[in-house]
Amino acid sequence: MALPTSTFATYQAVGNREDLSDMIYRIDPTDTPFMSGVEKEKASAVNHEWQTQALAAASSANAQLEGDDPTTTATTPTVRLGNLCQISYKVARVSGTQQAVDHAGRDNELAYQEMLKGLELKRDIETILVGTNQAKVAGDTATPRKTASILSWIASNTSKGTAGSPADPSAPDGSDTRDDGTPIAFTEARLKSVLSSIWINGGKPGTIMTGAFNKQVFSTFTGRATAVEEAKSKKIVASVDAYESDFGKLKVVANRFQRPRDVLVLEMDKWAVAYLNGRNMISIPLAKTGDSDRRQILAEYALVARNEKASGGVFDNTAS
């Protein structure tokens, strides 16, 4: 069938209005499990500090004479730790013309761009905190300060690869990065060894954080070696979202922004993010230098490792 002669169709039309949906669709992930799960603190100086306290080792030889005149027991001093505040920001800039024209999907272009930059900054910070092997850097007029990431703190309870010279940070104070080894398989036995070590040191972790590949490996551990089919709900269950260990129940959380090779075992309330006063994800109008408007979305923050012995990690895992 052919179009009748002289029929005016859309192919020749010039004045038809566009049909542009008033919605904007975005799928890039913005969930940040670590930042969302830890507490927030206030920092009042660039070098944010805190203290940890350890008890003397338990003694099986504490038997004393009747009527003894006791000597003073040695005191275990606190340990003073600190991390540096890092500045991270994004800048949104919109021309006067773009701000003035009609927009689809948003009323105010600059506000929309500010929102996007804020989400991007949040993703950056999550990656810096748990997805980088970064020691603290004091910085100077030519070098930006850097906050020590979680990988430079965890040193006491770890399982590492067996080749490639893997090594934990030399001191659990954020001053040294960890040395990656040759990847090996993530196994339940390795996880159990880390959980046991944390428990012996007094920790009570409640969260296991993994990348995508090792989240799926986790789902094959004991009790879930094969998929389970629930006939009534017509659903196949092949995932593990909680792990009942000998030392308590832990949530299993996938984190897109951590390194795929790392599995973190965390007591979340022993970690925090400290924001410098008035510098927590703020929007700063920048000077107008032409026919455009700029906004700087900025955060100045430090990772706080309240006591790294409460957490651990299974490191050097294969990720594919």
Side-chain angles (χ1 to χ4, degrees):
M1 180 179 293
L3 185 70
T5 303
S6 299
T7 300
F8 188 61
T10 59
Y11 305 107
Q12 295 83 36
V14 173
N16 293 347
R17 293 188 180 276
E18 65 177 4
D19 179 15
L20 176 61
S21 173
D22 204 30
M23 295 292 292
I24 298 173
Y25 301 95
R26 173 172 49 82
I27 67 165
D28 296 294
T30 58
D31 51 315
T32 51
F34 183 78
M35 289 178 63
S36 300
V38 300
E39 296 179 4
K40 293 179 175 61
E41 290 184 3
K42 288 184 179 180
S44 57
V46 167
N47 183 26
H48 182 63
E49 295 183 290
W50 60 95
Q51 298 179 80
T52 63
Q53 177 71 69
L55 300 178
S59 172
S60 61
N62 193 346
Q64 310 298 339
L65 292 171
E66 182 178 338
D68 190 21
D69 185 10
T71 58
T72 302
T73 305
T75 300
T76 303
T78 61
V79 176
R80 185 169 174 171
L81 298 170
N83 205 354
L84 296 166
C85 288
Q86 177 171 333
I87 300 171
S88 298
Y89 65 71
K90 295 276 187 175
V91 175
R93 187 167 192 164
V94 175
S95 72
T97 302
Q98 177 59 22
Q99 186 73 346
V101 299
D102 289 336
H103 315 107
R106 66 273 198 194
D107 295 325
N108 184 303
E109 184 67 37
L110 184 57
Y112 178 67
Q113 293 301 325
E114 277 187 278
M115 180 270 293
L116 293 179
K117 298 306 180 188
L119 294 174
E120 291 173 2
L121 180 57
K122 184 181 175 185
R123 286 157 47 107
D124 288 353
I125 296 174
E126 180 85 355
T127 301
I128 289 163
L129 296 179
V130 298
T132 56
N133 188 12
Q134 174 175 293
K136 57 186 175 184
V137 176
D140 52 36
T141 56
T143 304
R145 288 190 307 276
K146 290 186 177 181
T147 195
S149 71
I150 197 169
L151 298 182
S152 64
W153 287 98
I154 295 177
S156 299
N157 312 299
T158 66
S159 172
K160 302 179 288 295
T162 55
S165 301
D168 295 318
S170 57
D173 61 4
S175 63
D176 185 29
T177 58
R178 67 180 314 102
D179 294 334
D180 291 330
T182 303
I184 58 176
F186 173 44
T187 65
E188 190 171 9
R190 296 180 66 204
L191 175 63
K192 285 183 173 181
S193 72
V194 170
L195 289 170
S196 175
S197 178
I198 295 173
W199 183 82
I200 290 170
N201 278 319
K204 298 178 181 179
T207 301
I208 298 171
M209 209 166 279
T210 76
F213 179 81
N214 284 308
K215 176 65 168 68
Q216 292 179 313
V217 172
F218 200 108
S219 295
T220 67
F221 286 176
T222 302
R224 189 51 54 80
T226 57
V228 177
E229 183 176 358
E230 296 180 0
K232 290 183 179 180
S233 62
K234 297 181 181 180
K235 179 173 66 176
I236 295 176
V237 180
S239 67
V240 172
D241 295 319
Y243 183 70
E244 192 79 46
S245 77
D246 292 317
F247 310 106
K249 188 174 182 179
L250 299 95
K251 294 186 299 182
V252 186
V253 179
N255 190 333
R256 295 178 176 91
F257 302 107
Q258 71 180 74
R259 301 193 310 174
R261 64 184 293 135
D262 302 324
V263 174
L264 304 175
V265 185
L266 306 174
E267 186 172 339
M268 296 295 279
D269 62 3
K270 294 299 186 291
W271 301 91
V273 179
Y275 292 92
L276 199 61
N277 288 332
R279 309 272 281 175
N280 180 2
M281 301 293 287
I282 58 173
S283 177
I284 305 170
L286 299 180
K288 193 174 179 67
T289 57
D291 185 20
S292 64
D293 292 296
R294 295 184 297 160
R295 295 289 187 276
Q296 181 183 35
I297 297 82
L298 179 146
E300 190 162 1
Y301 57 94
L303 176 65
V304 180
R306 291 171 171 171
N307 199 313
E308 65 85 26
K309 288 185 178 180
S311 301
V314 184
F315 298 109
D316 303 325
N317 302 291
T318 51
S320 61

